[in-house]
Each structure stands twice: as structure tokens, then as C-alpha cells.
Amino acid sequence: MFRIISTARLNELDNLASAFPMVRSKSDRLEKDLETEQRLTKELTAKAEQATARFRQELTDLVQQADARVAEARASVQRAQHQANALIDGATKRANDIERRADQKVRELNAQIEQLKAKLPHPTPIPEGVVARYQNLVGALIDLTLFTIEDTNAEPGYGYSAKRVDLKLVSLCAGCGYRQEETRKEVYDTAETRTNFLENTYEGEKLKRWAQEHAETCRAVALPLQRAA
């Protein structure tokens, strides 16, 4: 038996049938758009993967370059340290050599001084009038000799039995001939007068001090003739 469809339903079906081509066309268009979007998504994904791979490679290269630079810097530091150690060792060695040569030179000079002293003649007896004697660095003598110059025309003063003289103190180096002297004129030759003259700060003591200072610096060797004189 045939089913009877109402007019309203029939109209509805006609409307749906007439709208189907439009829906189909829209569905086809959406499918194409979807395919396009999927293709674009795949392309973007591939590009992103390529970019990620490139970035990773660049990062790896940068890390390798950084490691190489760090290794080179460490090697440079080690070379500089080795060079500094070599310079320090060389300077220390040169300083030790200089010190050793200086010590050797000092020993040689001391030996030469001792040889010069050994070659000197034995000291002669202290001459008359020598009140002080010093020895320089190589054995030459510096004598302080007191001379009295009598005034034959003067008469003894009242209450004095001593002669009237001039006192002269002479400091003479037998090595280099360095000479200094002090004189006190017209005095009576007594023990007290001589002591006062020899111990006076500006006379005898001054010459003693000068003779001592000269002995500490003089290296002149006395010749036998000079020593005898």
C-alpha cells in the first residue's frame, strides 16, 4: 500500500531537496579549506622542525666554539704561567749567581788584603815621641808623634824648672802621606802641660779622632822607606 504524505511534509521535503546542492557545495568547499589548512599546517610544522634543527645545530656549534675558546684561554693561561715561572726561575738563578760571584769577589779581596798584610815588614819599635798608633785596612801605620821645640833664648819662669817650648802633635799616614798637626806655643814642658795638650778636645783628641777615621778608610800600602822615615 502506498503511504500518503501530507502536503506540508511534501513541501518540507521539496525545500530540503532544493537546499541539498547548496549544502553539498558548502561541504565540498569546507573540505577543500580543511585540506588547505592541513597542508599549510604540515608545511609550517616542517618549517618549524627545520628551524628547530637549525637552531639546535647553531647552538651546538656555539657550544663547541665556546668550549674551544675556553680551552684556548686555559692553554694561554698555562703558557703564561709557565713563562712567568721560567722568568722567575731565571731571575732567581741570576740573582744567586750574582750573589755567589759577589761573595767570591769579597773572599778574593779579603785574601788579597791578607796577602798584602803578610808582605809588609814587621812593625819596627815605636819611635820616640809616638803617643798613639793606628793601622789602616792593609796594615800601614798612622802615627801621632809629639815634638817639643825648645826656645833656647827663654828663661825658666818664676817657680818653674821646666824649659819653655812649643808642643807640636803630628798625625802622619805611612801609606798615603795624609798629615795633620796641632801646635801649642810657648808653654812650660811639664807632664801636666803635655797631658792637657794631648787630651784637649780641639787639639790632641781632635787629631786622634781624625787619625782613627782615616785608618778606617785608607788602603794605601806603606813602602819600607816611608815606614823607616
Side-chain angles (χ1 to χ4, degrees), residues 11-192:
N11 291 332
E12 183 181 357
L13 292 174
D14 288 338
N15 292 332
L16 290 173
S18 61
F20 180 76
M22 295 176 61
V23 172
R24 182 72 179 181
S25 175
K26 187 174 182 179
S27 175
D28 293 339
R29 188 170 63 253
L30 290 174
E31 287 182 356
K32 290 181 179 180
D33 292 341
L34 178 61
E35 290 177 356
T36 301
E37 293 295 331
Q38 288 177 346
R39 186 176 66 255
L40 291 174
T41 301
K42 288 181 179 180
E43 291 177 356
L44 291 174
T45 301
K47 290 181 179 179
E49 290 178 351
Q50 292 176 356
T52 300
R54 186 174 66 255
F55 291 153
R56 287 179 178 175
Q57 183 62 39
E58 291 177 354
L59 178 61
T60 301
D61 294 340
L62 289 174
V63 170
Q64 291 177 352
Q65 292 176 3
D67 292 339
R69 291 177 180 176
V70 169
E72 184 178 357
R74 288 177 178 174
S76 299
V77 170
Q78 291 179 353
R79 288 194 300 271
Q81 187 175 2
H82 291 161
Q83 292 176 355
N85 292 336
L87 290 174
I88 292 173
D89 293 340
T92 302
K93 183 178 180 181
R94 288 193 295 272
N96 292 333
D97 291 341
I98 292 172
E99 184 178 1
R100 185 170 57 254
R101 289 196 298 269
D103 291 341
Q104 180 63 29
K105 188 64 176 179
V106 169
R107 288 194 295 270
E108 291 176 357
L109 289 175
N110 289 333
Q112 292 177 5
I113 290 174
E114 294 300 326
Q115 291 176 1
L116 290 173
K117 288 182 178 180
K119 292 179 181 179
L120 291 174
H122 295 291
T124 58
I126 297 178
E128 182 180 358
V130 173
V131 296
R133 171 167 283 184
Y134 303 91
Q135 193 174 49
N136 73 359
L137 296 176
V138 292
L141 299 177
I142 298 96
D143 286 342
L144 269 73
T145 307
L146 178 63
F147 297 94
T148 59
I149 304 172
E150 183 179 353
D151 185 357
T152 57
N153 296 324
E155 296 181 358
Y158 179 77
Y160 285 93
S161 60
K163 298 177 182 179
R164 195 170 182 83
V165 297
D166 292 342
L167 296 178
K168 178 180 288 188
L169 183 63
V170 178
S171 171
L172 177 63
C173 176
C176 68
Y178 172 80
R179 176 189 177 96
Q180 293 289 341
E181 65 180 49
E182 285 291 333
T183 302
R184 181 180 291 187
K185 294 185 176 182
E186 298 180 355
V187 296
Y188 291 104
D189 188 11
T190 64
E192 182 180 0

